[in-house]
């Protein structure tokens, strides 16, 4: 079986982990973000448009030599996603983006599975650091980030998503292991 991120796909518990673009991915990932962040945080059209524009731009310039994109597909529907944007990896570090798991799969280990794939990809590519932006209050996600070796390095009030939140930047340096990993 090929590993996702190496151009192959793999199956886990009846779901398929797809590497790269799959039809409908952009719309589904934007909808998952819009629904979740509107329901739980009151984010609106500005946020949805920002996710759509950013993800669309990324998919349009995707280069498998520097970038990675995984989705978990169940019954033909994208139910989770994570991307590594390596465009500025040398200058700024690789950027972990569009990480989301649907209500259907949340709590079943799919987020951790995708995060593992991302760390392995970045380590293979020799990226010296990996960073992400999030905000205070997303405790389950923060737990996963810290478990994967990310550390909070910056925190400030901001509105980059169209709503005032305590924005947080997490960074993982190269060579920080993932600790004990569950089997995949």
């Amino acid at each position: 079986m090929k590993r996702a991120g190496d151009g192959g796909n793999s199956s886990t518990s009846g779901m398929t982990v797809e590497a790269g673009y799959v039809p409908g991915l952009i719309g589904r990932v934007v909808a998952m973000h819009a629904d979740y962040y509107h329901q739980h945080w009151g984010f609106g059209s500005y946020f949805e448009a920002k996710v759509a524009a950013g993800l669309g731009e990324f998919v349009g310039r995707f280069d498998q030599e520097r970038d990675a994109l995984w989705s978990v597909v169940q019954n033909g529907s994208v139910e989770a996603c994570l991307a590594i944007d390596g465009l500025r990896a040398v200058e700024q570090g690789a950027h972990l983006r569009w990480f989301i798991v649907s209500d259907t799969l949340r709590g079943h280990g799919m987020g951790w599975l995708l995060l593992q794939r991302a760390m392995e990809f970045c380590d293979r590519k020799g990226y010296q650091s990996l960073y992400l932006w999030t905000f205070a209050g997303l405790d389950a996600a923060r737990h996963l980030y810290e478990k994967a070796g990310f550390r909070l390095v910056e925190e400030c009030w901001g509105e980059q998503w169209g709503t005032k939140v305590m924005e947080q930047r997490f960074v993982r340096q190269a060579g920080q292991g993932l600790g004990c990993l569950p089997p995949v």
Side-chain angles (χ1 to χ4, degrees):
M1 170 181 1
K2 289 185 178 181
R3 295 166 58 155
D6 291 333
N9 303 321
S10 63
S11 180
T12 304
S13 304
M15 292 166 270
T16 305
V17 178
E18 302 285 343
Y21 173 79
V22 296
L25 176 116
I26 296 169
R28 178 68 176 134
V29 171
V30 170
M32 284 191 296
H33 276 82
D35 291 344
Y36 180 83
Y37 289 100
H38 176 74
Q39 180 181 1
H40 297 284
W41 299 95
F43 287 18
S45 61
Y46 178 87
F47 175 73
E48 184 173 350
K50 183 172 177 117
V51 172
L55 183 55
E57 185 269 334
F58 171 77
V59 170
R61 66 166 166 78
F62 183 84
D63 178 346
Q64 68 181 9
E65 294 302 313
R66 67 160 189 252
D67 305 318
L69 176 63
W70 298 275
S71 55
V72 177
V73 178
Q74 184 177 44
N75 300 322
S77 176
V78 172
E79 297 296 331
C81 181
L82 186 149
I84 298 295
D85 186 346
L87 184 63
R88 293 180 183 82
V90 173
E91 306 88 10
Q92 300 173 359
H95 190 179
L96 188 152
R97 306 181 78 181
W98 304 292
F99 183 28
I100 193 156
V101 178
S102 72
D103 290 339
T104 304
L105 297 185
R106 197 168 293 119
H108 291 93
M110 292 298 107
W112 180 243
L113 174 69
L114 292 177
L115 199 52
Q116 285 177 274
R117 302 277 170 104
M119 301 305 105
E120 291 166 357
F121 173 83
C122 290
D123 289 347
R124 278 194 315 274
K125 291 295 178 185
Y127 293 151
Q128 293 303 301
S129 67
L130 176 62
Y131 73 95
L132 64 94
W133 281 98
T134 187
F135 59 91
L138 298 172
D139 298 331
R142 181 176 180 162
H143 172 76
L144 285 178
Y145 300 142
E146 289 176 337
K147 182 177 175 181
F150 284 87
R151 297 293 169 251
L152 178 64
V153 297
E154 186 178 343
E155 189 171 47
C156 59
W157 287 103
E159 295 185 37
Q160 71 171 305
W161 296 294
T163 299
K164 189 172 184 178
V165 292
M166 179 60 73
E167 296 176 357
Q168 298 175 320
R169 184 171 182 261
F170 283 80
V171 174
R172 176 187 181 263
Q173 298 300 323
Q176 291 182 300
L178 291 173
C180 289
L181 300 177
V184 286

